[in-house]
Amino acid sequence: FAGNQISIIDVAKGSSEGSLSLDKEHIAWPKIKWSPDGTKLLVTYGSTVRVLDVRAGEWQKRLDFPNSL
């Protein structure tokens, strides 16, 4: 993860499987969690939650929550 991109790296192969851009210029302190089967990646930043289908290389879902502060 760098700036506003997520890069998927296959450690076993030692190769990049691709990268996807987020919709913000810079994301500070994103939270990232893999699904148990390794096919989905949950990314949270600010008040946004996104789900990436790693195999398809496409975002599946996006949830935006209004700031409550």
Side-chain angles (χ1 to χ4, degrees), residues 31-48:
K31 295 167 186 71
I32 299 172
K33 176 75 174 168
W34 286 98
S35 65
D37 64 3
T39 61
K40 308 266 187 312
L41 188 64
L42 178 80
V43 180
T44 65
Y45 54 95
S47 59
T48 301

Side-chain angles (χ1 to χ4, degrees), residues 3-21:
N4 69 340
Q5 286 194 322
I6 294 176
S7 296
I8 307 297
I9 307 297
D10 185 326
V11 177
K13 293 179 186 175
S15 64
S16 173
E17 298 298 306
S19 64
L20 292 164
S21 295

Side-chain angles (χ1 to χ4, degrees), residues 17-28:
E17 298 298 306
S19 64
L20 292 164
S21 295
L22 296 171
D23 56 352
K24 291 195 171 209
E25 188 173 316
H26 177 73
I27 309 291

